[in-house]
Amino acid sequence: MNFEYRARVDASTTDVFSFVADPRNDRQWNDRVVSVDGFDGGMAVGDRWTRVVRTGGGRSENVEECTRYEAPTTFGYRTVAGRTPVEVTCTLATCDGETAIVYTGSVAFRGVMRVLAPFVQGRIERGIESSVDRLVERFDTATADRTDAGVASEPAI
């Protein structure tokens, strides 16, 4: 399952990047995150941390690895161990005095989840949308413009 959401926030790209690229902040904007351990700051490609998230079946502990770190524009990570295999990239750009956010990624369903994917996809998409909305609210945005999950479109940045 692929997803893409877009938003604009009334904050500097540097401020938004600093917040998003620090996994310790995840609980402030992603309501699925229970805890983040093993990250002490100073992010670089290859750094790993453990994130515990709420899933439909309880909780999942995932080891995640930074795949892109290009301050202040691009941050990405992927699951390297755990039940919730995701890959996410957050790309930022200054646009008309605001920061444009493009939040893209994929969830790889494995095992029995492949069969259940059509039933849980909507719930996952709503969770991602809610998280991006909370991120936008965190920065007191004036505007929000998202695309629907799984619908690719040209970046507005």
Side-chain angles (χ1 to χ4, degrees):
M1 176 189 104
N2 296 318
F3 58 85
E4 178 177 292
Y5 288 97
R6 296 166 183 266
R8 291 175 78 154
V9 296
D10 189 17
S12 75
T13 301
T14 301
D15 288 347
V16 176
F17 182 86
S18 294
F19 186 78
V20 170
D22 186 337
R24 296 172 296 187
N25 294 327
D26 287 358
R27 290 186 63 207
Q28 295 181 51
W29 64 279
N30 187 334
D31 57 3
R32 292 184 52 236
V33 175
V34 175
S35 65
V36 173
D37 296 309
F39 180 74
D40 297 324
M43 182 69 73
V45 170
D47 284 353
R48 292 183 176 190
W49 59 94
T50 301
R51 181 185 334 237
V52 177
V53 295
R54 285 182 201 87
T55 65
R59 291 182 180 198
S60 176
E61 182 174 297
N62 302 306
V63 177
E64 307 202 333
E65 177 180 72
C66 178
T67 57
R68 293 188 66 186
Y69 190 87
E70 302 159 21
T73 60
T74 309
F75 173 67
Y77 65 89
R78 67 185 174 100
T79 302
V80 294
R83 287 185 14 218
T84 312
V86 299
E87 189 161 342
V88 172
T89 301
C90 184
T91 306
L92 309 172
T94 302
C95 185
D96 298 327
E98 296 178 317
T99 295
I101 301 170
V102 180
Y103 189 79
T104 60
S106 62
V107 178
F109 295 109
R110 296 186 282 201
V112 70
M113 286 304 295
R114 283 191 207 177
V115 175
L116 298 175
F119 303 103
V120 299
Q121 184 170 341
R123 184 176 183 179
I124 292 170
E125 290 170 349
R126 286 187 299 278
I128 294 166
E129 179 179 0
S130 173
S131 294
V132 173
D133 286 347
R134 285 182 67 190
L135 176 62
V136 168
E137 290 169 7
R138 163 70 171 77
F139 288 98
D140 296 325
T141 82
T143 61
D145 179 24
R146 293 182 315 276
T147 61
D148 290 333
V151 178
S153 61
E154 293 299 316
I157 53 176

